[in-house]
Amino acid sequence: MRHYLTTFSFLLLASFSPLHAQEGTWTLSGSTGVVILTLKDVEGDNRRDVELWNLLEKIPIGNFQPLDYALGFAVSGSYRFDRDIALTFGVTTFRKEVATSYHGSEASLEMRRVVGTTDFKLGLAYYLPRTFQDIESYFLVELGSMRSRATADAFGTRTGKNADSTITLITYNSQGVYEKSKLVVTTGFGATSRIFSNVFLKLEGIYKFAKIGKIDGELVQFGTPVPHTTSIDFDYSCFFITLGFGMEL
């Protein structure tokens, strides 16, 4: 987290910029915000995993936290052809981790799930007529390449007595890593407000269409890797609401 905060602070200092609505101008901005996720199938699979451990292995492990939102980051830029149209480009990313664990006298279990994406996008923005002197608003449509990630880890032990000694055995040790790239479409609305001569505040809300289905990957159990495909479909469609700063170059 400290690395993310340091990187974002640098982006804020290095990418301040406002919009003058001038032809032939470049802008660069950095933002952070909330990603509202729609990973219902993944959440359902997490609940079923917990229920199986409770019923079959008699380990009373608790539920995972919901995969409902995540912290996201964005770096974007644009080239203004004229008052109405601009070419846009950018990178957005988020990562969300949830975990649950149980530690008892006879057994222990730790489980972790991680999801995330990194998007490289290119698109067009259409600027609406100004309503205030220093505020501009726009509609945005972008096409991008999304690199999705998902991991599922589990580590369990059993403790028992053998004569006068206590023995702890590893009963479960698995790490699944899944990745998939896919073309995605985003659409949204944004607004900029000038702060100084070339510095602006930027608010943006976008929706990403990203139903990608099952993901191929690798499952490592007790050190032995095998190809593996997720049993559920992944839907990385999401709302992304950001606030940041930019600079006209």
Side-chain angles (χ1 to χ4, degrees):
M1 177 59 72
R2 181 177 297 178
H3 172 71
Y4 288 138
L5 292 176
T6 302
T7 302
F8 178 62
S9 298
F10 172 78
L11 290 174
L12 289 183
L13 293 174
S15 61
F16 279 159
S17 89
L19 252 112
H20 286 288
Q22 296 176 350
E23 297 181 8
T25 57
W26 293 86
T27 66
L28 183 66
S29 64
S31 306
T32 187
V34 177
V35 183
I36 302 173
L37 303 171
T38 57
L39 293 166
K40 298 303 181 183
D41 286 350
V42 181
E43 288 187 322
D45 189 59
N46 289 346
R47 285 193 297 270
R48 287 189 292 273
D49 280 351
V50 168
E51 291 169 358
L52 287 174
W53 282 104
N54 293 166
L55 295 174
L56 300 182
E57 299 294 334
K58 307 303 181 184
I59 296 179
I61 193 168
N63 290 321
F64 286 96
Q65 304 96 324
L67 288 167
D68 49 3
Y69 72 91
L71 180 64
F73 300 91
V75 177
S76 60
S78 69
Y79 176 74
R80 194 77 169 261
F81 290 105
D82 54 31
R83 202 222 68 84
D84 296 330
I85 302 295
L87 174 69
T88 65
F89 53 91
V91 179
T92 60
T93 187
F94 84 88
R95 181 181 183 274
K96 177 74 172 186
E97 177 178 332
V98 295
T100 182
S101 64
Y102 169 78
H103 296 279
S105 59
E106 297 181 353
S108 69
L109 178 63
E110 297 178 355
M111 294 195 294
R112 184 178 66 102
R113 304 287 188 267
V114 181
V115 294
T117 67
T118 299
D119 305 345
F120 299 88
K121 304 181 296 180
L122 186 67
L124 292 173
Y126 173 75
Y127 285 84
L128 302 174
R130 283 177 181 259
T131 54
F132 299 97
Q133 177 64 28
D134 295 325
I135 298 178
E136 284 194 300
S137 56
Y138 57 89
F139 289 107
L140 179 70
V141 177
E142 294 179 306
L143 181 66
S145 174
M146 181 185 74
R147 183 69 174 179
S148 63
R149 304 174 300 275
T151 64
D153 302 339
F155 183 81
T157 64
R158 288 279 185 183
T159 301
K161 288 188 176 182
N162 184 9
D164 294 330
S165 62
T166 299
I167 299 176
T168 299
L169 299 176
I170 298 175
T171 56
Y172 202 79
N173 185 9
S174 72
Q175 301 86 37
V177 179
Y178 309 90
E179 295 183 346
K180 187 174 185 178
S181 294
K182 186 177 179 63
L183 287 177
V184 295
V185 176
T186 61
T187 182
F189 178 81
T192 61
S193 177
R194 188 186 309 176
I195 300 175
F196 303 114
S197 61
N198 68 333
V199 176
F200 63 86
L201 179 69
K202 178 180 178 181
L203 175 66
E204 193 170 81
I206 64 172
Y207 181 75
K208 177 171 68 175
F209 302 88
K211 292 185 177 182
I212 64 173
K214 295 177 174 57
I215 308 178
D216 295 328
E218 183 179 75
L219 181 64
V220 180
Q221 293 183 309
F222 292 98
T224 302
V226 294
H228 190 257
T229 301
T230 61
S231 60
I232 57 171
D233 292 335
F234 280 72
D235 183 0
Y236 278 107
S237 300
C238 62
F239 286 100
F240 189 14
I241 303 170
T242 63
L243 180 66
F245 298 90
M247 179 172 60
E248 187 178 89
L249 305 178

